[in-house]
Amino acid sequence: MTRASLFAKLNPIIQFLFQPVLILLWVGLLTYGVFIPLLNFYWDDLAIHWIAEVYGAEGLARYFSTNRPVWGWFYQRSISILGDSTWAWQAFGLFWRWVAATGLYFLLRQLWRDRKEPALWASFFFMVYPGFGQQYIAMVYGHFFLILSAFFYSLAFSLLAIHNPKKKFFLHGAALILSAVNLFAMEYFFMLELLRPFLMWLTLGKQVTNQSKPLKHIVRLWLPYLLLFIGASIWRAFVFSYQTENYEPATMQSVLSQPFITLWGLLLRVIQDFWTTLILPWGNVFQFPDAQTFGARALQLVAGLTLLTLLLLLIAFFIVQRKQSTEILLPRSNWLWALGLSLLAFLLAGIPFWLTDLPINLVFPYDRFTIPFMLAFSLFWTVIIFSLPVGRNIRTVLLIVLVSVSTAHQLQTGIKYQRDWEAQSRFFWQLLWRAPAIEHGTVVFAHELPLTYFSDNSLTAALNWIYDPEGGNDPNAIAYALYYPTIRVGEEIEDLQPGQDFSHDLLVGTFLGNTSQSLALFYQPPACLRILDPEIESDNWMVPLQVRDTIHLSNTNRISLEPQAVPPRDLYIPEPAHTWCYYFEKADLARQYNDWAEVVRLADIAFALDDYPNDPAERMPFIEGYAHGGNWQEAVAQTRAAAEVSPVIHPVLCRLWERIDRETEPDKAQNQAVESIFDQLGCANNQ
């Protein structure tokens, strides 16, 4: 077989594999697909999966009844199909991102009917938009992109109906159904619906020369969509009022009281958000991680997949697509209307956030508010780059580089998500080792944990999933809560006084707690998780203030040995290796139950490991165990090792030895050890 005949046979396959919608898929797979088997549930995904697993369809209905009930219907259908498979949900999120990108391509092809390259590059910008970093919260944002797909295809079908009048009834019918999905399911893309008459005007303007006729066409064509929009607005304002109660139009109220100050501030806010959503995302892609802190293997993965993306796009646009199309120069006016459309899309996307004064930035979790601006970003930069007075090859190279570096940025984000899950998994395993069972009605106080993609709400879900997997007898009563005091004190909890009852509506049910039924914990890796001891750690200045303020409430009697809690299947499996922290947690648990022989046994194993404490307080259960076992020499040695770390720990060690002095049998060795430690640490001065 000759080379020419081989190429002739392969050419149809190559042309098929490199058609626009499939190139978008390949870029999506290279950008996000590698993480499909590696990631888990984050943020609200964790809470929703807990509800679905423990409370079923009825629980999901309760959760969404005041939180986008139509959107909740989609969740119920998708969960019934995909279940709790983490890889399936990551694939789900990527699939709908790709469908939305193809919808945008289809829409823009109705506007640029004689050119497909601008439409395709805008879709690439949408696919890898570097201002949004929550793609890996796959369940939640898979549904976001499902709704956005419905919106894009609705717009595209309504424009296609103008180009194909014979199918207008079918196309407008489909467009109206998809528009209703967008308008009733969620509010993020609600105002973008008002782009439709302008898109109709642009499409009709190219077909009709009489200026009065397009206006009549627009009014007639847009009227059903306008009525639908008005109906959805009435439903949101007067029937389903939950969102307006929780997201009040604060800006409108300010306009009435301080019109000039408010309008000036609003103008500045619009300019700031333009910079944040359309310009600043490029700053993300040119922030390169340090190899030493990020890791050489991680950087190799990012570099390899970025180069593959670069190669794919070079082949697609310099070999395959180049043969299929020739350069068609469009008049500047064509780009001007597209630029105006991008700016209009930006303004419409921002209205809900400006009215409710919600912050838009590129820092998690507020980067979720950039999703409605992805259309404006994609159009804006496509127009800017295609307007540059450069040759086609230079422009194509510039576009390829921008998409590739955006891919690199998203890959780095994926690695951060993977590491965050591992950190959260270690957190809960250490809690399980330390607290095999926790009494119902317990609130766990923690400082804002070193976890990026989890809130205390999502950690509350995981806590309940682990310790109350059946959901209890009352489906409306939530057994546990994990609180960050910086967030909850002054909201769910009035203050941190003992014996104070409080409640927290978690939508699926209500947690009823009391401040005296609590545990205070501290977790700052690489140090181990610690359940804080109120008797000796009330003035431990190595613990953050927000947790130190809760130590006096902590009641370790709420921890019991049985029944042993078991993590949800496949969620936190496998159990981490038993290194230093495992033996510390088990020793601290044994110390709580005065099982001193077990503490000493664990100490002998722990100190023989090729590992060591990362916090001086991690030696305290072993100090106490050695003391109760009569090994005063080792108790003193471990105390001195802890004391050498920082004088800040000395008052805590003093209180520990006061307890040891009180609870152990006095003899010569005990007296000498106690006096030695008191003298060395100046304990008399600390009393």
Side-chain angles (χ1 to χ4, degrees), residues 452-471:
T452 303
Y453 305 114
F454 299 94
S455 66
D456 63 350
N457 257 344
S458 49
L459 294 174
T460 289
L463 184 69
N464 281 277
W465 204 350
I466 292 169
Y467 285 97
D468 188 33
E470 302 301 324

Side-chain angles (χ1 to χ4, degrees), residues 382-622:
T382 300
V383 170
I384 293 296
I385 293 172
F386 271 84
S387 299
L388 294 175
V390 297
R392 184 182 187 186
N393 289 344
I394 295 175
R395 183 181 67 237
T396 302
V397 168
L398 175 60
L399 288 163
I400 288 173
V401 168
L402 289 175
V403 171
S404 298
V405 294
S406 298
T407 291
H409 171 71
Q410 295 291 2
L411 287 166
Q412 294 171 51
T413 303
I415 290 170
K416 293 175 184 176
Y417 271 84
Q418 181 187 14
R419 292 173 177 175
D420 210 49
W421 174 261
E422 292 172 354
Q424 187 252 167
S425 180
R426 287 193 297 270
F427 166 79
F428 276 114
W429 271 110
Q430 291 186 35
L431 181 61
L432 267 167
W433 294 334
R434 175 60 183 87
I438 302 175
E439 190 175 341
H440 282 205
T442 300
V443 57
V444 177
F445 290 113
H447 65 115
E448 295 195 29
L449 296 167
L451 303 170
T452 303
Y453 305 114
F454 299 94
S455 66
D456 63 350
N457 257 344
S458 49
L459 294 174
T460 289
L463 184 69
N464 281 277
W465 204 350
I466 292 169
Y467 285 97
D468 188 33
E470 302 301 324
N473 296 325
D474 183 357
N476 294 308
I478 305 302
Y480 307 98
L482 189 148
Y483 281 173
Y484 292 161
T486 51
I487 297 174
R488 302 302 170 185
V489 175
E491 295 293 332
E492 280 72 24
I493 299 176
E494 184 177 347
D495 55 46
L496 293 173
Q497 296 300 316
Q500 183 182 142
D501 291 325
F502 63 92
S503 65
H504 184 185
D505 182 7
L506 293 164
L507 300 182
V508 69
T510 301
F511 173 74
L512 301 176
N514 184 285
T515 51
S516 293
Q517 299 173 359
S518 65
L519 296 171
L521 66 79
F522 176 51
Y523 181 58
Q524 191 65 52
C528 307
L529 178 147
R530 290 196 299 113
I531 301 293
L532 300 175
D533 187 337
E535 184 179 351
I536 63 175
E537 295 200 71
S538 59
D539 57 354
N540 185 353
W541 288 83
M542 298 186 75
V543 173
L545 176 62
Q546 62 264 37
V547 175
R548 202 161 63 243
D549 286 344
T550 67
I551 294 177
H552 68 288
L553 301 171
S554 189
N555 180 4
T556 56
N557 290 329
R558 301 194 70 78
I559 297 173
S560 57
L561 296 170
E562 297 292 342
Q564 172 69 60
V566 179
R569 54 189 171 87
D570 300 329
L571 196 61
Y572 296 108
I573 304 299
E575 182 176 355
H578 291 177
T579 55
W580 168 266
C581 284
Y582 172 82
Y583 294 102
F584 164 75
E585 304 296 354
K586 288 303 183 183
D588 203 29
L589 177 63
R591 179 210 57 77
Q592 176 185 332
Y593 283 93
N594 299 325
D595 189 350
W596 304 117
E598 177 67 5
V599 173
V600 172
R601 186 189 73 83
L602 293 165
D604 292 341
I605 299 173
F607 287 113
L609 296 171
D610 185 21
D611 205 347
Y612 52 87
N614 285 285
D615 186 308
E618 291 171 19
R619 297 182 187 270
M620 293 196 301
F622 301 115

Side-chain angles (χ1 to χ4, degrees), residues 255-273:
V255 167
L256 297 176
S257 59
Q258 296 177 309
F260 295 108
I261 295 175
T262 302
L263 291 174
W264 175 249
L266 181 60
L267 176 61
L268 294 178
R269 171 75 188 275
V270 171
I271 296 170
Q272 175 187 326
D273 288 344

